[in-house]
Amino acid sequence: MRESELHVADVPQSAGTGAVPAPARIDELVAAAHARGIEDRTGTVADYIPVLAEADPESFGLCVADVDGGLHEIGDSRIRFSIQSISKAFVYALLCEEIGHAEVRETVGVDNTGLAFNSVVAIELNDGHPMNPMVNAGALATTALVPGATPEAQWDRIRDGLSRFAGRPLELDDDVYRSETATNQRNRAIAQLLESYGRIRRDPAGVVDVYTRQCSLLVDAHDLAIMGATLADGGVNPLTGEQVVSAAVCRDTLAVLAASGLYERSGEWLFEIGLPGKSGVAGGLVTVAPGKAGIAAYAPRLDAAGNSVRGQVATAYLSRALGLNIFASDSHYLRKDQP
Ligand code: GLU
């Protein structure tokens, strides 16, 4: 979305190099971000997975989780929804932890395809390489590499890993799982295509099933903010204190999110908001301010690429007002001359 569509042209950009404001001020800014987001009624609720069309288009929750464990939430931050594509970021982090930086890069890739998340053409254009773990091809290739002798064992590992990011046991939404299983012919085709290129070395049907389950895990904005704060804090969950993944894995994951977390609008998002993030078609959006906080929004109306509109508006405001944009700096040279 453009700056004018994000309604932030009037918000001064604080440098991303300073500390975050005091907790009471963050509460005020979260409320202001929510007030801006709620004004926006553009976008449409996803319906290509039939059950997602039943979401209330007016739902809007927002939560900031600081790396010191502080939570700032407003609105529908405890409404649960399916995590969808946002699971890709966390399964990727778990896989990096298991098999390492070099191998994941080789087999899954790190570059943006510039094409839709469920593109088959992108696979063909790249000689069968999935290109990056945030599109369905790369996510299926990632899930296929998760250790486990059976799909059931892989699923247990994924659910357990994502639950450790959230700091509570996450559950499957059976309706979403069944609705997506009945309509995911395209993902099945992608998995078979990847198998034909030797990029998936397991039964593709089992891989799609585990992937569909990971997408059907239920979270709320407060969970996602904690999951994001874990990536912001070197892999340590700020509520449980558990080291879920290493700091090096967080760095790798956030680099991939910066390049490809918001579908084919990732460049535009980075240009306006300046932070790694990941969205999902149920309306979730998680953003990570390294060393500072996780920000999460839930609002089911999406832009044409599949990103929550209100989520983007609220996050753009917070990035500016809280001083989170990783590309925004103040001049040290000019500051040192000040009395
Ligand atoms: N489960 C969805 C799919 O594979 C996820 C899509 C998304 O959130 O981008 O189509």
Side-chain angles (χ1 to χ4, degrees), residues 48-49 83-86 88 117 136 180 187 211 215 263 278-282:
Y48 78 99
I49 298 171
I83 189 168
Q84 295 298 338
S85 261
I86 301 169
K88 293 170 178 163
F117 68 95
N136 287 11
E180 185 164 346
N187 285 342
Y211 166 78
C215 289
Y263 306 109
K278 182 73 197 96
S279 55
V281 290

Side-chain angles (χ1 to χ4, degrees), residues 288-299:
V288 179
K292 294 181 177 172
I295 302 172
Y298 168 59

Side-chain angles (χ1 to χ4, degrees), residues 195-218:
E195 186 194 27
S196 80
Y197 279 110
R199 295 282 173 185
I200 283 186
R201 296 178 196 278
R202 289 180 185 264
D203 168 30
V207 173
V208 173
D209 186 57
V210 176
Y211 166 78
T212 307
R213 290 189 207 201
Q214 81 183 47
C215 289
S216 307
L217 279 172
L218 279 171

